[in-house]
Amino acid sequence: MAPVKSCLVVATALLMSGQLSTADHLDDIQASLATAYQALPKNALARVKSSQARYLARRYFQATRGWTVASLSEESLDVTSAPHRLQAALEEKRSHRGFSLPDVASLVMQIEESLQPHFAAALEASYDIAGVENDGQSLDIESAKSVLAAYLATLLGQSEQSTRLGGNLDSLVDHVVDAQGKATLVDSAALGRMAELLLKGVPGWKKEQCDAAIRAGSEEPKCWTLDNEVSFCCPNTCDAAIATLESATQGPFTTAVDMWQVLHQGYFFSSSPGSLQDLNDVHLHGPAAVEILAATRPSQCSFDSASRAFQGAGATPNEEEAQLARRLAEDFGKLGQDGAASFFNLRSGLRCVVMLTLVLATLQALWKAWSKALEGEEEGQKKQNLKAKKASTKAKKVE
């Protein structure tokens, strides 16, 4: 329920205050991108290149919207797509000198705007699904709820689209509509704002399914496809670890030991292997980082997931770092048996022992408290029985 309650608060606040201005939104995008941008390698003008701008856009949309945009992937060859055209135009305007942080933020906002027709089309189709005539007239409350529920069904890729979704989603649609106040009719502008609020909430509503996929050990990210350009996908399981590294290093390079220790915060046995002592300037998004991520977070960030997460980041390691990555692969068992497994299994085992000890201690304390309370009740009952017996004896003597 937590993600739903959070979305309700955001929905109410936005409906009351209106949409953010373009300048405010641009500032928000730039603030969201700042840490990741700082952590990327730059050219001589302290700017990032085209592939890195797409990498940042991918990260932004996934983190803030839960979107996977097909034309932003490294494999995309569709140069006619809106993101490619917008990027090429901005690159030409900057004389191919690279992208500053404000440039990337502007590009992201333009891409975001270019994708709106995809969602507008889904909202238009929702009228037919809900059986509501789209004649430009204001809708009554129940019709508006039916259209929005059908819109959510479309976004969530439900095979059987419906005007009622069940559970928290129905409650959320009801709340978003009811939050407009006592009005009995919803015009097209208000319906569009409500649809935008629901759209922003989709990643939160999918959290339960994404968590289940992670627990099941799914290697491929799970996606719910809207159309051939936009999907709502579970985040790459490495994203949280990458964000932690970027925030801690604030730059494109770090030492292998520091990287290891940052990723080990809160874990037992955080001392780093001797093979990490060899190199000081390690690319934060390079092959050595992939190996360390996969070794330190084996249950969350596999080698393949880490490699996918770094696509387009633009790190070009030197041969020394490449050799280190290969040696780390051998040390961590990536080229054979998982040599790091015993280390992490031992760590996990000890953590389980500690947790079990704490649980047993808590249960023991509760048992003692309950036993003491029970003894007190028994003692009180005995005293009451004795007092009653004495009173009965006294009464008999009086008779």
Side-chain angles (χ1 to χ4, degrees):
M1 283 294 292
V4 173
K5 289 181 179 178
S6 175
C7 287
L8 296 182
V9 173
V10 173
T12 302
L14 287 176
L15 282 172
M16 294 297 183
S17 63
Q19 299 297 306
L20 291 173
S21 69
T22 299
D24 288 337
H25 186 43
L26 189 61
D27 288 342
D28 287 344
I29 294 174
Q30 187 166 320
S32 298
L33 293 170
T35 299
Y37 183 90
Q38 185 67 25
L40 290 176
K42 314 290 192 305
N43 63 18
L45 298 174
R47 295 167 177 250
V48 298
K49 57 186 180 181
S50 296
S51 62
Q52 293 170 306
R54 288 196 301 276
Y55 167 80
L56 291 167
R58 288 203 314 274
R59 288 275 301 275
Y60 173 83
F61 288 128
Q62 179 60 69
T64 63
R65 297 283 203 161
W67 299 353
T68 294
V69 182
S71 56
L72 286 176
S73 70
E74 284 297 291
E75 294 80 11
S76 174
L77 300 177
D78 184 10
V79 295
T80 64
S81 66
H84 275 276
R85 286 188 285 103
L86 290 168
Q87 183 175 353
L90 184 56
E91 194 168 17
E92 181 70 24
K93 186 176 180 180
R94 295 292 181 264
S95 302
H96 301 278
R97 293 176 299 175
F99 295 83
S100 65
L101 177 57
D103 289 340
V104 178
S106 176
L107 175 65
V108 166
M109 189 167 72
Q110 292 178 56
I111 293 174
E112 193 174 47
E113 291 171 352
S114 76
L115 295 173
Q116 291 308 311
H118 295 266
F119 302 105
L123 183 59
E124 288 290 323
S126 300
Y127 282 85
D128 290 336
I129 296 171
V132 175
E133 185 177 357
N134 184 8
D135 56 3
Q137 300 298 315
S138 297
L139 303 178
D140 60 70
I141 296 298
E142 288 306 313
S143 295
K145 289 180 178 179
S146 295
V147 172
L148 290 173
Y151 178 63
L152 261 185
T154 302
L155 297 182
L156 302 181
Q158 295 193 358
S159 55
E160 295 182 2
Q161 294 170 320
S162 170
T163 58
R164 300 303 287 176
L165 300 167
N168 291 335
L169 294 179
D170 275 337
S171 299
L172 191 54
V173 169
D174 291 343
H175 181 91
V176 168
V177 176
D178 294 342
Q180 71 168 342
K182 297 181 180 180
T184 59
L185 294 175
V186 178
D187 62 24
S188 58
L191 190 71
R193 289 195 299 271
M194 294 173 190
E196 171 67 7
L197 292 172
L198 295 178
L199 174 61
K200 289 180 179 178
V202 168
W205 306 326
K206 279 300 182 186
K207 186 177 186 305
E208 184 177 347
Q209 291 89 331
C210 292
D211 289 346
I214 293 172
R215 288 193 297 270
S218 175
E219 280 294 317
E220 294 297 328
K222 189 175 182 182
C223 293
W224 296 266
T225 301
L226 175 64
D227 55 30
N228 60 359
E229 176 66 352
V230 181
S231 300
F232 295 92
C233 293
C234 294
N236 185 304
T237 50
C238 297
D239 284 350
I242 293 170
T244 298
L245 276 176
E246 291 172 341
S247 178
T249 58
Q250 295 291 309
F253 297 97
T254 186
T255 69
V257 171
D258 285 346
M259 188 181 296
W260 177 276
Q261 291 177 345
V262 166
L263 292 171
H264 264 83
Q265 288 179 2
Y267 288 78
F268 289 115
F269 298 118
S270 60
S271 59
S272 57
S275 55
L276 297 184
Q277 309 293 329
D278 294 2
L279 193 65
N280 291 323
D281 294 327
V282 178
H283 280 82
L284 190 61
H285 302 86
V290 170
E291 296 293 347
I292 295 173
L293 274 167
T296 53
R297 304 288 176 89
S299 62
Q300 301 169 341
C301 187
S302 68
F303 179 84
D304 289 340
S305 295
S307 299
R308 283 198 304 270
F310 284 157
Q311 283 184 348
T316 307
N318 55 34
E319 180 56 28
E320 186 179 6
E321 186 176 345
Q323 290 178 1
L324 173 65
R326 288 192 289 271
R327 188 161 69 255
L328 288 176
E330 295 172 354
D331 290 347
F332 297 147
K334 298 304 177 187
L335 302 181
Q337 295 297 319
D338 190 356
S342 59
F343 173 83
F344 289 102
N345 288 339
L346 175 61
R347 183 189 69 191
S348 300
L350 287 176
R351 293 182 70 186
C352 289
V353 169
V354 171
M355 292 298 296
L356 182 59
T357 302
L358 292 174
V359 170
L360 290 175
T362 302
L363 291 175
Q364 187 178 26
L366 290 173
W367 172 261
K368 287 181 179 180
W370 180 78
S371 298
K372 188 174 181 179
L374 186 60
E375 289 174 1
E377 290 179 3
E378 291 177 350
E379 187 65 27
Q381 187 63 44
K382 287 180 181 179
K383 289 181 179 179
Q384 288 181 1
N385 291 341
L386 182 58
K387 187 176 181 179
K389 186 175 182 180
K390 288 180 179 180
S392 177
T393 302
K394 187 176 180 180
K396 287 179 180 180
K397 287 180 179 181
V398 171
E399 292 176 359

